[in-house]
Amino acid sequence: MVKIILLLTSLLFTCCYGQVVENCRTDTFPPPDDTKLSTVVVNLDMAPEHRWDEAITPYKNDIVNLIDTITDNVNKYVLEVADITFDLLLQTLPAPYQAEIKGVAKVLGLPEGQVVLYNIFYELFTVCTSIIEEDPKGQLYHARNLDFGLFLGWDNSNDTWLMSERLRKIVVNIDFQRDGKTVYQSASFLGYVGLLTAVKQPLFTLTINERFNKEGGFIGIYRWILGNRNAAWMGFLTRDVMEKANSYSEAKHMLMTQELLAPAYYILGGNSTGEGVIITRGLDSVEDVQELNITSGRWFLLQTNYDPSEKPPFYDDRRTPGNICVKQWGQQNVGHKSLFNVLSTKPNLNKLTVYSTVMTVRERYRELAAGMQITLYTLVKHPVCLMIIKFRSVEF
C-alpha cells in the first residue's frame, strides 16, 4: 500500500510540480531594493499568550485566508473531527508553544484546532533545498529555498499553487528579542510559532528540510497521541536550539540526540572553517551525517528531500542541477551572488518556491528572498545583519 501511494504521488508530482531545468542563472543578484518589507519583533519577555499579538494583527486577514486554503481542502465532516482532535492535541503541546498557539488563535478569531493544524502542516508537507558552502578564506554561507503548497488548491487565474501564493503575503523577518536585544532571527510565516530557517548571531545558522520517508510525521503524531511525549516537534526543536545552544557543537548535539516526531534533515552551519553538516534524522536515531571537509575537497553540501546516499527520483531531481550550478560557480566565487543565482535557477526555483535565504554569521549579513509571481523587491537593513527580501515573478 505504501508503494502504491508513493507511486501515485510521484505521478501527480510529475504532472503538477513539473521538472523544468534551465542553464545556471548568473543575472539575479543583487535584487532591486524598490520596497521595504516589514520586520516584526517578538518580545520573549512577554507572556507567551501575547508575544505574537502585535506582530500578527496587521496580517490577520492574510493569515486567515491562508488557513482557509488548508481547511477548504478538507471535507467539512473531517474538519469538524479535526477541530476537536487538534484542540485536544493542543493541550498536550509543550510550553511555551501551547500558550503561543492559543494566543495566535485568539487574535485571529479562529478555532484553536485550526491553528494547531496550520502549525503542524509544516511537519508533513515542506519541500526544500539547502546549501552550505565555504569560501577559500574559511567564510561559511548557508542558503535555502523553501517550497510549500503542493496539492493545496490551484489558482487558475495566476497559474500557480494557491497555498504558495498566499504564504508569500505573510513571509516576514522576525527578530526574537529579550531585554531589548536580539537573541535570534528567522524568516518565517506569521501564525507559525516554530522555526524552519534561523540564524543566531554570531554563532550558527540552521534550516530544516523535510525527509520523505515511510515513517513520516504521521507516525510520530500517532505516537504522540498515544502518549509518547518524549519526541520533539520539528519546528519547536529548531526554536529550542536557538534558545538554548550557545555554540555550533551544542546545536549539533541537540539536533542529533533529541527524539523526533517526524524524520528530517537538519542543515547546520557554524562560524569557523569546516563547521557545516547535514544530519539525516529518523524518529529515534541519526541515520547519516555529511560534513564539510576542506582538506578532502568537500567545500559544499547540498540537500533536498532525499537521502544523500540515494539517487533522487527522476520527477524531482533538484540535487543534480543544484550541484552542477554550484560547481560551475566554483569555490573561488562562493558568496551571496553565486548562491542566490543557484537558488534562482529552475528547478530549484519553481512554482512552489515561497522564499529563498542566504545567511552567514561571521560577516553578520543575511539575505532573504521571497516568492515568485509577485513583482515586489525589498531591501531591509538591520543593526546586526542586512536582509534582502525579493518577491520574484517567474515565467514557466
Side-chain angles (χ1 to χ4, degrees), residues 222-260:
Y222 180 67
R223 288 184 185 179
W224 182 278
I225 292 172
L226 290 181
N228 180 4
R229 307 286 160 72
N230 296 320
W233 297 80
M234 187 169 65
F236 296 167
L237 175 58
T238 307
R239 243 184 94 181
D240 289 344
V241 169
M242 288 291 151
E243 284 280 345
K244 300 174 183 178
N246 292 308
S247 68
Y248 170 84
S249 60
E250 287 183 13
K252 182 180 175 182
H253 177 76
M254 290 181 68
L255 296 170
M256 293 183 69
T257 57
Q258 173 61 54
E259 184 180 343
L260 298 178

mmCIF file of all heavy atoms in Angstrom, residues 222-260:
data_model
loop_
_atom_site.group_PDB
_atom_site.id
_atom_site.type_symbol
_atom_site.label_atom_id
_atom_site.label_comp_id
_atom_site.label_asym_id
_atom_site.label_seq_id
_atom_site.Cartn_x
_atom_site.Cartn_y
_atom_site.Cartn_z
ATOM 1 N N TYR A 222 0.999 10.083 15.648
ATOM 2 C CA TYR A 222 0.223 8.974 16.199
ATOM 3 C C TYR A 222 0.823 8.524 17.532
ATOM 4 O O TYR A 222 0.105 8.287 18.512
ATOM 5 C CB TYR A 222 0.195 7.814 15.199
ATOM 6 C CG TYR A 222 -0.583 6.603 15.652
ATOM 7 C CD1 TYR A 222 -1.969 6.651 15.808
ATOM 8 C CD2 TYR A 222 0.077 5.395 15.917
ATOM 9 C CE1 TYR A 222 -2.668 5.526 16.227
ATOM 10 C CE2 TYR A 222 -0.624 4.275 16.331
ATOM 11 C CZ TYR A 222 -1.998 4.343 16.480
ATOM 12 O OH TYR A 222 -2.699 3.251 16.897
ATOM 13 N N ARG A 223 2.153 8.424 17.574
ATOM 14 C CA ARG A 223 2.822 8.059 18.826
ATOM 15 C C ARG A 223 2.534 9.088 19.914
ATOM 16 O O ARG A 223 2.306 8.735 21.076
ATOM 17 C CB ARG A 223 4.339 7.967 18.610
ATOM 18 C CG ARG A 223 4.825 6.781 17.821
ATOM 19 C CD ARG A 223 6.347 6.813 17.814
ATOM 20 N NE ARG A 223 6.929 5.776 16.983
ATOM 21 C CZ ARG A 223 8.246 5.622 16.811
ATOM 22 N NH1 ARG A 223 9.082 6.453 17.423
ATOM 23 N NH2 ARG A 223 8.716 4.653 16.042
ATOM 24 N N TRP A 224 2.562 10.362 19.519
ATOM 25 C CA TRP A 224 2.319 11.445 20.486
ATOM 26 C C TRP A 224 0.913 11.316 21.066
ATOM 27 O O TRP A 224 0.713 11.437 22.282
ATOM 28 C CB TRP A 224 2.506 12.793 19.791
ATOM 29 C CG TRP A 224 2.342 13.986 20.690
ATOM 30 C CD1 TRP A 224 1.169 14.583 21.075
ATOM 31 C CD2 TRP A 224 3.381 14.741 21.320
ATOM 32 N NE1 TRP A 224 1.416 15.649 21.893
ATOM 33 C CE2 TRP A 224 2.762 15.769 22.061
ATOM 34 C CE3 TRP A 224 4.773 14.641 21.314
ATOM 35 C CZ2 TRP A 224 3.499 16.703 22.795
ATOM 36 C CZ3 TRP A 224 5.500 15.580 22.049
ATOM 37 C CH2 TRP A 224 4.871 16.592 22.780
ATOM 38 N N ILE A 225 -0.058 11.098 20.193
ATOM 39 C CA ILE A 225 -1.452 10.971 20.640
ATOM 40 C C ILE A 225 -1.612 9.795 21.597
ATOM 41 O O ILE A 225 -2.387 9.856 22.563
ATOM 42 C CB ILE A 225 -2.389 10.817 19.425
ATOM 43 C CG1 ILE A 225 -2.422 12.137 18.618
ATOM 44 C CG2 ILE A 225 -3.804 10.434 19.858
ATOM 45 C CD1 ILE A 225 -3.164 12.039 17.315
ATOM 46 N N LEU A 226 -0.837 8.727 21.358
ATOM 47 C CA LEU A 226 -0.916 7.550 22.220
ATOM 48 C C LEU A 226 -0.179 7.740 23.543
ATOM 49 O O LEU A 226 -0.227 6.859 24.408
ATOM 50 C CB LEU A 226 -0.358 6.336 21.489
ATOM 51 C CG LEU A 226 -1.204 5.807 20.313
ATOM 52 C CD1 LEU A 226 -0.542 4.588 19.699
ATOM 53 C CD2 LEU A 226 -2.625 5.478 20.751
ATOM 54 N N GLY A 227 0.500 8.878 23.676
ATOM 55 C CA GLY A 227 1.094 9.173 24.974
ATOM 56 C C GLY A 227 2.600 9.271 25.025
ATOM 57 O O GLY A 227 3.167 9.561 26.084
ATOM 58 N N ASN A 228 3.301 9.039 23.893
ATOM 59 C CA ASN A 228 4.760 9.175 23.877
ATOM 60 C C ASN A 228 5.103 10.645 23.675
ATOM 61 O O ASN A 228 5.087 11.150 22.552
ATOM 62 C CB ASN A 228 5.374 8.324 22.767
ATOM 63 C CG ASN A 228 6.895 8.461 22.726
ATOM 64 O OD1 ASN A 228 7.496 9.121 23.566
ATOM 65 N ND2 ASN A 228 7.511 7.827 21.744
ATOM 66 N N ARG A 229 5.400 11.326 24.759
ATOM 67 C CA ARG A 229 5.649 12.776 24.702
ATOM 68 C C ARG A 229 7.132 13.107 24.812
ATOM 69 O O ARG A 229 7.496 14.240 25.138
ATOM 70 C CB ARG A 229 4.856 13.477 25.817
ATOM 71 C CG ARG A 229 3.373 13.128 25.829
ATOM 72 C CD ARG A 229 2.624 13.799 24.688
ATOM 73 N NE ARG A 229 1.359 13.134 24.413
ATOM 74 C CZ ARG A 229 0.271 13.182 25.194
ATOM 75 N NH1 ARG A 229 0.302 13.852 26.321
ATOM 76 N NH2 ARG A 229 -0.835 12.556 24.837
ATOM 77 N N ASN A 230 7.999 12.112 24.575
ATOM 78 C CA ASN A 230 9.435 12.362 24.658
ATOM 79 C C ASN A 230 9.992 12.991 23.385
ATOM 80 O O ASN A 230 11.061 13.584 23.401
ATOM 81 C CB ASN A 230 10.184 11.056 24.940
ATOM 82 C CG ASN A 230 9.827 10.453 26.282
ATOM 83 O OD1 ASN A 230 9.670 11.178 27.268
ATOM 84 N ND2 ASN A 230 9.683 9.137 26.336
ATOM 85 N N ALA A 231 9.268 12.828 22.280
ATOM 86 C CA ALA A 231 9.751 13.329 20.993
ATOM 87 C C ALA A 231 9.494 14.829 20.870
ATOM 88 O O ALA A 231 8.624 15.387 21.529
ATOM 89 C CB ALA A 231 9.068 12.578 19.855
ATOM 90 N N ALA A 232 10.260 15.471 19.993
ATOM 91 C CA ALA A 232 10.130 16.907 19.760
ATOM 92 C C ALA A 232 9.484 17.163 18.406
ATOM 93 O O ALA A 232 9.739 16.442 17.438
ATOM 94 C CB ALA A 232 11.504 17.582 19.810
ATOM 95 N N TRP A 233 8.648 18.178 18.348
ATOM 96 C CA TRP A 233 8.114 18.646 17.080
ATOM 97 C C TRP A 233 9.234 19.347 16.327
ATOM 98 O O TRP A 233 10.041 20.082 16.907
ATOM 99 C CB TRP A 233 6.944 19.590 17.314
ATOM 100 C CG TRP A 233 5.786 18.928 17.987
ATOM 101 C CD1 TRP A 233 5.653 18.661 19.309
ATOM 102 C CD2 TRP A 233 4.606 18.404 17.354
ATOM 103 N NE1 TRP A 233 4.466 18.009 19.558
ATOM 104 C CE2 TRP A 233 3.803 17.837 18.383
ATOM 105 C CE3 TRP A 233 4.154 18.367 16.041
ATOM 106 C CZ2 TRP A 233 2.573 17.244 18.115
ATOM 107 C CZ3 TRP A 233 2.930 17.780 15.773
ATOM 108 C CH2 TRP A 233 2.151 17.226 16.798
ATOM 109 N N MET A 234 9.296 19.133 15.027
ATOM 110 C CA MET A 234 10.428 19.556 14.210
ATOM 111 C C MET A 234 10.730 21.054 14.350
ATOM 112 O O MET A 234 11.855 21.453 14.647
ATOM 113 C CB MET A 234 10.134 19.214 12.744
ATOM 114 C CG MET A 234 11.263 19.443 11.788
ATOM 115 S SD MET A 234 10.897 18.710 10.176
ATOM 116 C CE MET A 234 9.495 19.704 9.634
ATOM 117 N N GLY A 235 9.719 21.892 14.143
ATOM 118 C CA GLY A 235 9.923 23.339 14.213
ATOM 119 C C GLY A 235 10.131 23.840 15.627
ATOM 120 O O GLY A 235 10.791 24.868 15.839
ATOM 121 N N PHE A 236 9.573 23.134 16.615
ATOM 122 C CA PHE A 236 9.778 23.526 18.010
ATOM 123 C C PHE A 236 11.208 23.237 18.445
ATOM 124 O O PHE A 236 11.809 24.009 19.196
ATOM 125 C CB PHE A 236 8.807 22.780 18.929
ATOM 126 C CG PHE A 236 7.350 23.097 18.697
ATOM 127 C CD1 PHE A 236 6.358 22.314 19.265
ATOM 128 C CD2 PHE A 236 6.966 24.177 17.914
ATOM 129 C CE1 PHE A 236 5.013 22.598 19.063
ATOM 130 C CE2 PHE A 236 5.628 24.475 17.700
ATOM 131 C CZ PHE A 236 4.642 23.673 18.275
ATOM 132 N N LEU A 237 11.766 22.112 17.962
ATOM 133 C CA LEU A 237 13.149 21.789 18.299
ATOM 134 C C LEU A 237 14.092 22.864 17.766
ATOM 135 O O LEU A 237 15.048 23.253 18.439
ATOM 136 C CB LEU A 237 13.544 20.422 17.744
ATOM 137 C CG LEU A 237 15.018 20.021 17.946
ATOM 138 C CD1 LEU A 237 15.395 20.023 19.421
ATOM 139 C CD2 LEU A 237 15.302 18.660 17.319
ATOM 140 N N THR A 238 13.819 23.353 16.566
ATOM 141 C CA THR A 238 14.665 24.409 15.997
ATOM 142 C C THR A 238 14.664 25.640 16.894
ATOM 143 O O THR A 238 15.709 26.251 17.146
ATOM 144 C CB THR A 238 14.176 24.786 14.588
ATOM 145 O OG1 THR A 238 14.092 23.613 13.798
ATOM 146 C CG2 THR A 238 15.128 25.770 13.932
ATOM 147 N N ARG A 239 13.489 26.001 17.400
ATOM 148 C CA ARG A 239 13.428 27.152 18.304
ATOM 149 C C ARG A 239 14.126 26.874 19.619
ATOM 150 O O ARG A 239 14.798 27.740 20.181
ATOM 151 C CB ARG A 239 11.970 27.562 18.559
ATOM 152 C CG ARG A 239 11.686 28.969 18.048
ATOM 153 C CD ARG A 239 10.314 29.432 18.376
ATOM 154 N NE ARG A 239 10.257 30.198 19.596
ATOM 155 C CZ ARG A 239 9.143 30.702 20.089
ATOM 156 N NH1 ARG A 239 7.984 30.513 19.479
ATOM 157 N NH2 ARG A 239 9.159 31.405 21.194
ATOM 158 N N ASP A 240 13.991 25.645 20.105
ATOM 159 C CA ASP A 240 14.694 25.272 21.332
ATOM 160 C C ASP A 240 16.203 25.401 21.158
ATOM 161 O O ASP A 240 16.911 25.860 22.064
ATOM 162 C CB ASP A 240 14.343 23.839 21.738
ATOM 163 C CG ASP A 240 12.926 23.698 22.261
ATOM 164 O OD1 ASP A 240 12.301 24.727 22.607
ATOM 165 O OD2 ASP A 240 12.433 22.551 22.321
ATOM 166 N N VAL A 241 16.694 24.974 19.979
ATOM 167 C CA VAL A 241 18.126 25.092 19.699
ATOM 168 C C VAL A 241 18.542 26.563 19.692
ATOM 169 O O VAL A 241 19.590 26.927 20.254
ATOM 170 C CB VAL A 241 18.470 24.411 18.355
ATOM 171 C CG1 VAL A 241 19.896 24.754 17.918
ATOM 172 C CG2 VAL A 241 18.299 22.903 18.465
ATOM 173 N N MET A 242 17.741 27.407 19.059
ATOM 174 C CA MET A 242 18.059 28.834 19.025
ATOM 175 C C MET A 242 18.066 29.441 20.425
ATOM 176 O O MET A 242 18.851 30.344 20.730
ATOM 177 C CB MET A 242 17.056 29.571 18.129
ATOM 178 C CG MET A 242 17.227 29.292 16.658
ATOM 179 S SD MET A 242 18.755 30.025 16.020
ATOM 180 C CE MET A 242 19.144 28.880 14.694
ATOM 181 N N GLU A 243 17.181 28.960 21.268
ATOM 182 C CA GLU A 243 17.087 29.475 22.632
ATOM 183 C C GLU A 243 18.246 28.994 23.506
ATOM 184 O O GLU A 243 18.805 29.769 24.288
ATOM 185 C CB GLU A 243 15.764 29.024 23.266
ATOM 186 C CG GLU A 243 14.536 29.777 22.791
ATOM 187 C CD GLU A 243 14.383 31.119 23.481
ATOM 188 O OE1 GLU A 243 15.038 31.354 24.516
ATOM 189 O OE2 GLU A 243 13.598 31.947 22.977
ATOM 190 N N LYS A 244 18.607 27.713 23.391
ATOM 191 C CA LYS A 244 19.468 27.096 24.397
ATOM 192 C C LYS A 244 20.912 26.882 23.967
ATOM 193 O O LYS A 244 21.818 26.894 24.818
ATOM 194 C CB LYS A 244 18.865 25.753 24.817
ATOM 195 C CG LYS A 244 17.469 25.877 25.418
ATOM 196 C CD LYS A 244 16.856 24.511 25.676
ATOM 197 C CE LYS A 244 15.435 24.624 26.212
ATOM 198 N NZ LYS A 244 14.811 23.277 26.415
ATOM 199 N N ALA A 245 21.158 26.641 22.689
ATOM 200 C CA ALA A 245 22.522 26.329 22.247
ATOM 201 C C ALA A 245 23.360 27.599 22.155
ATOM 202 O O ALA A 245 22.905 28.607 21.596
ATOM 203 C CB ALA A 245 22.495 25.610 20.902
ATOM 204 N N ASN A 246 24.562 27.541 22.679
ATOM 205 C CA ASN A 246 25.449 28.703 22.654
ATOM 206 C C ASN A 246 26.704 28.458 21.826
ATOM 207 O O ASN A 246 27.687 29.190 21.954
ATOM 208 C CB ASN A 246 25.829 29.086 24.086
ATOM 209 C CG ASN A 246 24.630 29.624 24.853
ATOM 210 O OD1 ASN A 246 23.941 30.529 24.396
ATOM 211 N ND2 ASN A 246 24.371 29.046 26.023
ATOM 212 N N SER A 247 26.660 27.423 20.975
ATOM 213 C CA SER A 247 27.772 27.148 20.071
ATOM 214 C C SER A 247 27.287 26.197 18.989
ATOM 215 O O SER A 247 26.235 25.561 19.123
ATOM 216 C CB SER A 247 28.949 26.516 20.822
ATOM 217 O OG SER A 247 28.605 25.214 21.270
ATOM 218 N N TYR A 248 28.072 26.098 17.925
ATOM 219 C CA TYR A 248 27.778 25.152 16.847
ATOM 220 C C TYR A 248 27.738 23.719 17.383
ATOM 221 O O TYR A 248 26.827 22.946 17.056
ATOM 222 C CB TYR A 248 28.852 25.290 15.765
ATOM 223 C CG TYR A 248 28.833 24.235 14.688
ATOM 224 C CD1 TYR A 248 27.990 24.356 13.585
ATOM 225 C CD2 TYR A 248 29.690 23.124 14.764
ATOM 226 C CE1 TYR A 248 27.994 23.381 12.578
ATOM 227 C CE2 TYR A 248 29.698 22.166 13.760
ATOM 228 C CZ TYR A 248 28.849 22.297 12.672
ATOM 229 O OH TYR A 248 28.845 21.344 11.686
ATOM 230 N N SER A 249 28.688 23.360 18.234
ATOM 231 C CA SER A 249 28.750 21.992 18.755
ATOM 232 C C SER A 249 27.549 21.676 19.643
ATOM 233 O O SER A 249 27.022 20.553 19.604
ATOM 234 C CB SER A 249 30.054 21.771 19.518
ATOM 235 O OG SER A 249 30.173 22.670 20.606
ATOM 236 N N GLU A 250 27.103 22.641 20.440
ATOM 237 C CA GLU A 250 25.928 22.415 21.280
ATOM 238 C C GLU A 250 24.682 22.232 20.417
ATOM 239 O O GLU A 250 23.844 21.364 20.695
ATOM 240 C CB GLU A 250 25.729 23.580 22.247
ATOM 241 C CG GLU A 250 26.725 23.629 23.380
ATOM 242 C CD GLU A 250 26.443 24.763 24.353
ATOM 243 O OE1 GLU A 250 25.343 25.350 24.288
ATOM 244 O OE2 GLU A 250 27.334 25.074 25.174
ATOM 245 N N ALA A 251 24.554 23.048 19.380
ATOM 246 C CA ALA A 251 23.405 22.927 18.475
ATOM 247 C C ALA A 251 23.415 21.567 17.794
ATOM 248 O O ALA A 251 22.386 20.887 17.689
ATOM 249 C CB ALA A 251 23.435 24.047 17.442
ATOM 250 N N LYS A 252 24.583 21.150 17.326
ATOM 251 C CA LYS A 252 24.720 19.853 16.643
ATOM 252 C C LYS A 252 24.326 18.715 17.577
ATOM 253 O O LYS A 252 23.618 17.783 17.171
ATOM 254 C CB LYS A 252 26.158 19.692 16.158
ATOM 255 C CG LYS A 252 26.426 18.412 15.390
ATOM 256 C CD LYS A 252 27.895 18.366 14.954
ATOM 257 C CE LYS A 252 28.233 17.051 14.282
ATOM 258 N NZ LYS A 252 29.674 16.987 13.899
ATOM 259 N N HIS A 253 24.759 18.786 18.821
ATOM 260 C CA HIS A 253 24.439 17.731 19.792
ATOM 261 C C HIS A 253 22.935 17.641 20.026
ATOM 262 O O HIS A 253 22.364 16.535 20.048
ATOM 263 C CB HIS A 253 25.159 18.008 21.114
ATOM 264 C CG HIS A 253 24.830 17.019 22.193
ATOM 265 N ND1 HIS A 253 25.351 15.752 22.221
ATOM 266 C CD2 HIS A 253 23.995 17.116 23.277
ATOM 267 C CE1 HIS A 253 24.885 15.103 23.277
ATOM 268 N NE2 HIS A 253 24.049 15.906 23.929
ATOM 269 N N MET A 254 22.266 18.775 20.172
ATOM 270 C CA MET A 254 20.824 18.779 20.392
ATOM 271 C C MET A 254 20.087 18.165 19.207
ATOM 272 O O MET A 254 19.151 17.380 19.370
ATOM 273 C CB MET A 254 20.328 20.202 20.639
ATOM 274 C CG MET A 254 20.746 20.795 21.968
ATOM 275 S SD MET A 254 20.106 22.483 22.205
ATOM 276 C CE MET A 254 18.329 22.169 22.343
ATOM 277 N N LEU A 255 20.514 18.506 18.004
ATOM 278 C CA LEU A 255 19.840 18.019 16.797
ATOM 279 C C LEU A 255 20.072 16.528 16.568
ATOM 280 O O LEU A 255 19.250 15.863 15.931
ATOM 281 C CB LEU A 255 20.323 18.817 15.582
ATOM 282 C CG LEU A 255 19.987 20.309 15.591
ATOM 283 C CD1 LEU A 255 20.735 21.029 14.472
ATOM 284 C CD2 LEU A 255 18.487 20.543 15.461
ATOM 285 N N MET A 256 21.160 15.998 17.099
ATOM 286 C CA MET A 256 21.485 14.592 16.882
ATOM 287 C C MET A 256 20.922 13.670 17.962
ATOM 288 O O MET A 256 20.804 12.461 17.739
ATOM 289 C CB MET A 256 23.008 14.406 16.790
ATOM 290 C CG MET A 256 23.641 15.040 15.568
ATOM 291 S SD MET A 256 25.425 14.758 15.420
ATOM 292 C CE MET A 256 25.475 12.998 15.068
ATOM 293 N N THR A 257 20.578 14.211 19.108
ATOM 294 C CA THR A 257 20.193 13.349 20.224
ATOM 295 C C THR A 257 18.723 13.392 20.584
ATOM 296 O O THR A 257 18.226 12.466 21.229
ATOM 297 C CB THR A 257 21.008 13.715 21.480
ATOM 298 O OG1 THR A 257 20.809 15.115 21.786
ATOM 299 C CG2 THR A 257 22.492 13.444 21.250
ATOM 300 N N GLN A 258 18.005 14.425 20.189
ATOM 301 C CA GLN A 258 16.600 14.544 20.566
ATOM 302 C C GLN A 258 15.711 13.638 19.705
ATOM 303 O O GLN A 258 15.797 13.648 18.476
ATOM 304 C CB GLN A 258 16.136 15.997 20.418
ATOM 305 C CG GLN A 258 14.644 16.229 20.626
ATOM 306 C CD GLN A 258 14.185 15.850 22.022
ATOM 307 O OE1 GLN A 258 14.723 16.317 23.013
ATOM 308 N NE2 GLN A 258 13.171 14.981 22.095
ATOM 309 N N GLU A 259 14.855 12.857 20.327
ATOM 310 C CA GLU A 259 13.869 12.067 19.596
ATOM 311 C C GLU A 259 12.908 12.998 18.867
ATOM 312 O O GLU A 259 12.545 14.053 19.388
ATOM 313 C CB GLU A 259 13.097 11.182 20.581
ATOM 314 C CG GLU A 259 12.099 10.236 19.948
ATOM 315 C CD GLU A 259 11.373 9.379 20.972
ATOM 316 O OE1 GLU A 259 11.853 9.290 22.124
ATOM 317 O OE2 GLU A 259 10.310 8.805 20.620
ATOM 318 N N LEU A 260 12.479 12.611 17.650
ATOM 319 C CA LEU A 260 11.655 13.479 16.816
ATOM 320 C C LEU A 260 10.300 12.856 16.499
ATOM 321 O O LEU A 260 10.149 11.635 16.521
ATOM 322 C CB LEU A 260 12.361 13.779 15.490
ATOM 323 C CG LEU A 260 13.694 14.529 15.544
ATOM 324 C CD1 LEU A 260 14.252 14.676 14.137
ATOM 325 C CD2 LEU A 260 13.525 15.898 16.194
#
